[in-house]
Amino acid sequence: MEALDKTFTKYGEEVYPYYYKDDLAERIYVKGSPSDKQLENNVCTIIFKVEHCSVHITEIPLTGYENKGYGSVAMRALIKHSINKGYLGITGLLAPYDPSHAPRLIYFYEKNSFDIKLNSNRDRGKIQLDLTNPNKLLKNLTTIPFQERISLLENQLKMQRQKEKELQEKIASLEHDIANESKVLKFLKRFFKKYL
């Protein structure tokens, strides 16, 4: 398993993409913490095959960690890996398990620069990404989209507020302990004065 560059989700979480190849397929794994073990700490996986100098995505299995930015990290890692290998494009099928999930998949592929050709119901189709202009594509990948920047800032603000709340609760608890300690000390002083 080959470690790729450490990166961050749109929420500012540090994650670790890895590349893995076996006899059946190639994979990009995104892990929540560094690990060379194939199945440890996986939060997203993209399974693909290389056919005629092009990458074909065969599956992006659901992991229970959806909508946290891991898929975009995995896709950016796949695009960079494909460019580094000199592949000409990335293809795949847009075939959601749940048709109501199709708009989210379309948004996901569009924000990662894919062209999408949909059927008449707009719930299935083909995806394609041209890799023959890698400089432009890499520039787009390194620029965080406006909505993702807002999400990142909102998440950072939420985390800061949570830390402030926890700190205020700790201060209140310490003040309570000090106040109660004073009462106990006063009682003990009176108690010992009587017997001394």
Side-chain angles (χ1 to χ4, degrees), residues 73-161:
V73 168
M75 188 59 70
R76 287 192 302 265
L78 175 61
I79 293 168
K80 289 177 186 176
H81 171 78
S82 300
I83 289 170
N84 289 338
K85 292 289 188 178
Y87 301 140
L88 302 175
I90 301 175
T91 62
L93 296 177
L94 180 73
Y97 297 109
D98 175 7
S100 67
H101 188 63
R104 288 183 13 212
L105 283 175
I106 292 167
Y107 172 74
F108 170 75
Y109 285 112
E110 283 177 342
K111 79 175 183 180
N112 285 294
S113 303
F114 280 79
D115 292 320
I116 303 169
K117 291 184 174 67
L118 297 172
N119 66 0
S120 59
N121 292 337
R122 298 191 54 80
D123 63 350
R124 296 190 179 285
K126 295 181 180 180
I127 59 164
Q128 182 175 353
L129 180 63
D130 181 4
L131 300 177
T132 57
N133 189 354
N135 292 335
K136 180 181 175 188
L137 195 55
L138 288 172
K139 182 180 178 189
N140 290 344
L141 289 176
T142 56
T143 305
I144 300 173
F146 180 72
Q147 190 59 43
E148 287 192 15
R149 281 188 299 214
I150 290 174
S151 296
L152 176 59
L153 292 173
E154 286 174 342
N155 190 57
Q156 289 172 343
L157 181 60
K158 182 180 173 184
M159 289 171 51
Q160 183 65 32
R161 286 181 178 157

Side-chain angles (χ1 to χ4, degrees), residues 7 12 48 77 127 175 191 193:
T7 189
F48 62 96
I127 59 164
E175 288 173 344
F191 178 78
K193 273 186 179 179

Side-chain angles (χ1 to χ4, degrees), residues 59-76:
E59 186 178 5
I60 303 176
L62 297 174
T63 61
Y65 295 102
E66 287 70 33
N67 301 315
K68 297 185 184 298
Y70 303 129
S72 292
V73 168
M75 188 59 70
R76 287 192 302 265

